[in-house]
Amino acid sequence: MKIPQPVWVFMLSLSAIPITYTVNNIPASEDPFAILGIGVAVLVVLFFLVCFAARSNPPQDPLFYMFTVFSFTCVIDLIISLEQDGFISGFMDFYIKEGEPYLRTPYGRMICYWDGTVHYALYLMMVTRISKRQGYRSAGLYWLGSILLSMFVFLAGNIVGKYGSDIRPAFLLNIPFLFLPVWAGMKVSEKPRTLTPRTAAEVAVEQQKLPHQRPLDLLLLIFLLSAIAYTLFRGFVALDCPLESCFNYIYQYEPYLKDPVAYPKVQMLVYLFYALPLLCLFVYGLLKPGCSWMLDWTLVFAGAVAQSQFTHIGGSLHPWTPYTYRVPEETMWPFLLMNLLYAVGPQILALRCLMHPEFFLSPAALREADQDKKHK
């Protein structure tokens, strides 16, 4: 009986459990360079196993192989986070001690939780759709934003934070997870969008509406303008702005931004220099009809913000975070409200663009498509 591809991909990812348990009990795993060698060997062997298993019915999409290998690492990340929080033991102690000690930080644990749940689910879903020859463009773009921002903040924080002087050879195992998603993103963006067919007349009617005639878009504009102000303010806070309002905010609401691990500060700076321009462009896209790039970039942005806010909120509240850097109890609810709204808003914007894209479609392209249909 032939096992469906998604099933054996799932089973292969679960092999991370016995593998990590076995390696944890090998004496050689106490050497930092040996850990790097073991990590590379496991990934290479896994890749060839995937190629061997798929030889009878090779997928047409090369990203199938990458997603399969990445799903294996997701299980490893979930094991790391569960072990560090005391739910299990005896699997990845060797890696935390001599491989990547910064993964024991609250941020490290939260990024592993996200990778071991959300990214894992996305990989399995995309592998399933590839095996069925179905599209996965939207899921791929969402994943792209999530993994790129997580890896950028994680790697930069490791270097500039307090663990910068304790970088081990296993740090190099993260490099493929920064560059391969860029290649994957290029491949995903080349795939056609799966949108419900609209006529040029339907699009023209929608694009003639002003913002007050589109209630959801009006609310999204209010959110975007508020998010722009909040992003700018937190960027100033991260840059140690001497204003009294910045001083009060960092000590009363988000002392986590002062944590010497540097991940939260790097994240706020990424928001300032990258998310802020995108937020401004989204305002333009909601006001100017025909901005088809909104359909893609809102998905990328939604994935990035969902991941970053999850790790930021989790790190701010985690009991392993030093008390002086944790959110004070008296400002807990305002902190949660602001950060949850900042996370949810981009998800609603992405869904709005995905479910009702008429305002963002190009009328000229639609007219050409209508003419082609008539000629056929």
Side-chain angles (χ1 to χ4, degrees):
M1 180 179 177
K2 188 176 179 181
I3 301 176
Q5 287 180 338
V7 174
W8 64 253
V9 168
F10 175 69
M11 294 169 61
L12 192 62
S13 68
L14 293 183
S15 68
I17 299 173
I19 289 175
T20 53
Y21 183 82
T22 302
V23 174
N24 191 58
N25 294 284
I26 297 176
S29 64
E30 297 179 0
D31 180 75
F33 285 97
I35 291 175
L36 173 62
I38 292 171
V40 172
V42 168
L43 293 177
V44 170
V45 170
L46 181 67
F47 174 75
F48 282 109
L49 280 176
V50 175
C51 294
F52 179 77
R55 72 189 187 286
S56 60
N57 184 25
Q60 297 179 348
D61 193 331
L63 294 184
F64 176 91
Y65 303 96
M66 191 191 81
F67 293 152
T68 301
V69 175
F70 278 21
S71 67
F72 175 88
T73 63
C74 286
V75 176
I76 292 179
D77 281 344
L78 186 57
I79 291 171
I80 290 174
S81 54
L82 292 173
E83 188 165 32
Q84 290 305 298
D85 279 338
F87 295 106
I88 58 176
S89 63
F91 290 88
M92 292 295 288
D93 287 337
F94 76 98
Y95 194 79
I96 299 300
K97 290 178 182 177
E98 302 297 339
E100 297 191 75
Y102 34 78
L103 288 176
R104 66 166 60 99
T105 64
Y107 182 90
R109 300 179 194 197
M110 299 312 295
I111 199 175
C112 286
Y113 274 124
W114 183 268
D115 193 49
T117 53
V118 177
H119 286 169
Y120 188 41
L122 286 171
Y123 291 138
L124 294 179
M125 184 189 76
M126 290 188 286
V127 163
T128 300
R129 295 190 69 84
I130 291 173
S131 66
K132 295 181 178 179
R133 290 177 169 77
Q134 297 175 343
Y136 59 94
R137 194 176 196 274
S138 298
L141 292 173
Y142 191 88
W143 161 80
L144 178 66
S146 175
I147 194 169
L148 282 182
L149 184 57
S150 67
M151 291 308 301
F152 185 84
V153 174
F154 179 64
L155 296 179
N158 293 339
I159 295 171
V160 304
K162 73 175 186 178
Y163 286 95
S165 59
D166 196 23
I167 299 294
R168 313 288 177 84
F171 176 82
L172 298 175
L173 293 173
N174 293 294
I175 303 303
F177 295 89
L178 181 63
F179 291 104
L180 284 177
V182 175
W183 167 73
M186 295 171 63
K187 301 290 289 184
V188 170
S189 63
E190 293 172 357
K191 298 183 181 300
R193 296 191 182 102
T194 54
L195 300 175
T196 304
R198 270 89 174 176
T199 64
E202 292 174 334
V203 171
V205 170
E206 185 65 24
Q207 294 186 352
Q208 289 173 358
K209 294 181 180 178
L210 297 175
H212 70 273
Q213 297 173 305
R214 296 176 278 127
L216 179 57
D217 286 358
L218 186 60
L219 290 174
L220 287 171
L221 283 169
I222 295 172
F223 161 75
L224 289 172
L225 294 174
S226 303
I228 288 170
Y230 190 47
T231 302
L232 192 61
F233 176 71
R234 286 208 293 185
F236 288 153
V237 171
L239 291 170
D240 296 323
C241 176
L243 290 175
E244 185 178 357
S245 58
C246 295
F247 179 84
N248 292 336
Y249 181 83
I250 200 168
Y251 283 101
Q252 295 178 13
Y253 292 91
E254 295 201 50
Y256 184 52
L257 296 178
K258 299 290 289 185
D259 194 324
V261 295
Y263 302 118
K265 177 174 284 191
V266 171
Q267 188 161 295
M268 293 307 117
L269 294 179
V270 171
Y271 280 167
L272 179 64
F273 294 113
Y274 295 96
L276 183 62
L278 277 176
L279 289 168
C280 295
L281 286 173
F282 292 156
V283 171
Y284 174 82
L286 285 175
L287 295 174
K288 177 71 174 178
C291 296
S292 58
W293 48 266
M294 286 279 288
L295 303 177
D296 291 343
W297 281 103
T298 52
L299 280 168
V300 175
F301 186 72
V305 172
Q307 184 279 330
S308 58
Q309 286 299 103
F310 173 82
T311 52
H312 181 68
I313 294 172
S316 299
L317 304 178
H318 199 282
W320 193 260
T321 300
Y323 181 78
T324 53
Y325 301 124
R326 249 180 281 160
V327 179
E329 291 185 8
E330 58 270 18
T331 57
M332 177 78 70
W333 289 111
F335 164 81
L336 286 174
L337 179 63
M338 290 185 292
N339 279 278
L340 287 175
L341 286 175
Y342 195 88
V344 172
Q347 316 307 311
I348 298 174
L349 176 61
L351 279 174
R352 181 263 180 270
C353 295
L354 191 64
M355 303 300 293
H356 301 284
E358 296 88 353
F359 186 80
F360 311 105
L361 298 178
S362 171
L366 284 170
R367 281 195 293 270
E368 291 179 4
D370 287 346
Q371 291 175 359
D372 290 342
K373 290 179 182 177
K374 290 178 181 179
H375 289 308
K376 291 178 180 179

